[in-house]
Amino acid sequence: MSFIVDERDWLILNLLYENKNITHIAKKLTLAQPTISSRIRQIEKRFGISIFVRTKKGIQLTIEGEFLAKQAKNFLKMMQSVDDNLRNMKEVPSGVLRIGASTFSAKYILPDLLSRFKLKNPNVEFKVISGYSRDIVQQLYEGNIHVAFIRG
């Protein structure tokens, strides 16, 4: 029995759930659309299922496809957690700190904080997501970010 071993397959499934558009997924991953379609067919063959059906409005995930896409999201989070933890086990802090911030915080508060932090931790990279506080809190609950700066 073979398994999906390529992390990209899980990423494709996750993006399929989020975008429901193969062309958008191909652009996001900088791959050709036939490559994405081929990977999806291989995943379907591996599990003996159909992941989606085509409709007039685009594609609709099957029950099995939705299940796989949710598992893909869990898998990608687990892999990110493993990667983060392994990087944090090093003596010198390194890795990516994922930060969510309200637009105000991202514009006026974070630049100074991050520049001072970077001086003490040069091997740490930042990924900052800005938006409405309620969306940032949701990202924190879902485990997509490590820390949040919000208003209120």
Side-chain angles (χ1 to χ4, degrees):
M1 182 182 280
S2 63
F3 294 96
I4 298 174
V5 293
D6 189 348
E7 192 174 335
R8 192 178 309 188
D9 291 338
W10 292 110
L11 184 56
I12 288 169
L13 286 168
N14 186 52
L15 290 172
L16 190 62
Y17 181 77
E18 292 174 357
N19 294 291
K20 302 201 179 32
N21 186 307
I22 294 173
T23 303
H24 290 158
I25 295 168
K27 286 180 183 176
K28 196 169 221 174
L29 297 177
T30 61
L31 294 171
Q33 186 174 342
T35 302
I36 301 293
S37 296
S38 173
R39 291 304 309 154
I40 291 171
R41 281 192 302 277
Q42 288 179 16
I43 296 167
E44 289 176 328
K45 183 178 177 184
R46 158 59 182 97
F47 290 107
I49 62 164
S50 292
I51 293 175
F52 65 87
V53 292
R54 295 188 186 278
T55 67
K56 291 179 182 179
K57 295 182 179 180
I59 61 170
Q60 178 71 39
L61 292 175
T62 63
I63 293 171
E64 296 90 346
E66 231 176 278
F67 172 78
L68 269 181
K70 289 177 183 175
Q71 295 307 307
K73 185 173 186 171
N74 292 337
F75 173 81
L76 292 169
K77 279 186 182 179
M78 181 197 64
M79 289 302 295
Q80 184 64 57
S81 176
V82 166
D83 188 46
D84 290 347
N85 284 308
L86 288 174
R87 287 179 188 232
N88 289 333
M89 289 178 187
K90 295 178 183 176
E91 288 184 31
V92 177
S94 64
V96 178
L97 178 60
R98 292 186 309 278
I99 302 169
S102 66
T103 306
F104 177 84
S105 298
K107 188 172 184 179
Y108 297 106
I109 297 171
L110 280 183
D112 182 52
L113 285 175
L114 295 181
S115 64
R116 287 187 289 161
F117 185 87
K118 186 72 171 173
L119 288 174
K120 293 181 181 182
N121 302 280
N123 295 331
V124 176
E125 297 176 31
F126 308 109
K127 180 177 180 187
V128 178
I129 299 169
S130 65
Y132 293 114
S133 292
R134 68 177 178 272
D135 297 333
I136 297 301
V137 169
Q138 185 64 35
Q139 292 287 321
L140 186 64
Y141 283 136
E142 291 177 1
N144 297 327
I145 57 176
H146 296 115
V147 65
F149 293 86
I150 59 171
R151 295 183 74 188

